[in-house]
Amino acid sequence: MTRLIFLGAPGAGKGTQAQTLAHHRNIPHISTGDILRQAMQRQTPLGVKAQDYVSRGELVPDELVNDLVEERLDEPDVEHGWILDGFPRKVSQASFLDELLQQKHSDRNVRVINLEVPDDVLMARLLGRGRADDNEEVIRRRLEVYREQTAPLIDYYRDRQQLVCVNGNQSLEEVTAELLDVIDS
Ligand code: AP5
Ligand code: MG
């Protein structure tokens, strides 16, 4: 059973690596960012509510993402595991997830991968990608929000002995190989 949470700053490679590993393990890759972007594109009620926050690089309110994760983890395809990418990203979301998993699973073995990449590399990667929220000003805000609200989760999960740190500043293949080692161990 593979249940993984991908932590890491914007541009750390969460989405890229989560997609590869999910494919490899045949389990769903659940990215709250991707789900929000799809909702914004379709202008669903969720998308309309999220739009303003996402475009400014702010976190959307907990109730929106908590609800969507709860619904997603009720789908039948999560039975053999999952990879969460971009959730939780603050302590309140992590506590919500803890409770949710406690209700759902007797076995709560979830590993948290922290992909470590220096700030200058993150900025260069994101400027090179060019998603709607990838302009310099919004990237700076996303990095600030990460430091203020998400980075505390590193200690949160380290204290619970769930944290594994991986050097994300290597080639895609090298990062994938390290991640496969981790999840097989
Ligand atoms: P989200 O979509 O999660 O964005 P993010 O955290 O800013 O991270 P990115 O998707 O930009 O980076 P990534 O780590 O996935 O890197 P990637 O693999 O793409 O969130 C967007 C917004 O949605 C948030 O700002 C917020 O508003 C909202 N949101 C989402 N979740 C939320 C939540 N839980 N609560 C509240 N709000 C939420 O790689 C980046 C680039 O680098 C790519 O071009 C890639 O090709 C390249 N790259 C990757 N790895 C390597 C490598 N090893 N070498 C060279 N290039 C690489
Ligand atoms: Mg991503």
Side-chain angles (χ1 to χ4, degrees):
M1 172 70 69
T2 306
R3 293 196 194 114
L4 295 176
I5 292 171
F6 272 61
L7 216 59
K14 302 181 295 295
T16 307
Q17 296 295 337
Q19 193 179 9
T20 305
L21 291 193
H23 185 74
H24 199 270
R25 287 294 153 112
N26 201 19
I27 53 175
H29 164 210
I30 303 172
S31 157
T32 45
D34 287 350
I35 295 170
L36 292 170
R37 278 185 291 280
Q38 202 173 62
M40 293 189 302
Q41 203 180 3
R42 295 185 186 153
Q43 290 284 293
T44 65
L46 170 66
V48 171
K49 284 182 204 145
Q51 178 81 53
D52 186 46
Y53 298 97
V54 175
S55 63
R56 287 185 289 122
E58 303 294 336
L59 297 183
V60 309
D62 279 1
E63 57 270 23
L64 297 183
V65 276
N66 287 355
D67 281 359
L68 84 78
V69 168
E70 183 167 9
E71 277 173 33
R72 187 62 188 82
L73 292 179
D74 270 336
E75 299 284 327
D77 64 342
V78 302
E79 201 186 343
H80 302 296
W82 39 255
I83 301 180
L84 270 178
D85 154 17
F87 185 93
R89 59 212 280 160
K90 50 198 284 215
V91 171
S92 54
Q93 294 178 7
S95 322
F96 173 84
L97 183 65
D98 279 345
E99 264 183 49
L100 191 67
L101 297 180
Q102 208 164 356
Q103 289 163 19
K104 279 188 192 302
H105 309 294
S106 45
D107 153 32
R108 279 187 295 143
N109 184 14
V110 176
R111 271 192 287 181
V112 181
I113 312 272
N114 184 35
L115 282 176
E116 297 176 311
V117 177
D119 274 11
D120 55 331
V121 177
L122 297 172
M123 181 58 90
R125 284 185 186 178
L126 294 175
L127 286 173
R129 181 179 59 182
R131 205 168 69 192
D133 57 347
D134 284 341
N135 62 72
E136 193 164 342
E137 191 192 338
V138 177
I139 296 170
R140 285 200 193 290
R141 183 59 194 147
R142 281 157 61 203
L143 290 171
E144 255 172 37
V145 167
Y146 168 78
R147 265 183 235 108
E148 287 163 9
Q149 304 193 49
T150 308
L153 289 180
I154 296 172
D155 282 341
Y156 178 97
Y157 285 117
R158 188 183 283 122
D159 290 348
R160 286 168 171 67
Q161 274 137 31
Q162 288 175 271
L163 190 78
V164 184
C165 291
V166 169
N167 175 11
N169 192 20
Q170 317 177 69
S171 73
L172 292 178
E173 296 74 16
E174 284 167 327
V175 178
T176 305
E178 239 183 80
L179 289 170
L180 285 171
D181 273 353
V182 166
I183 63 178
D184 287 334
S185 65

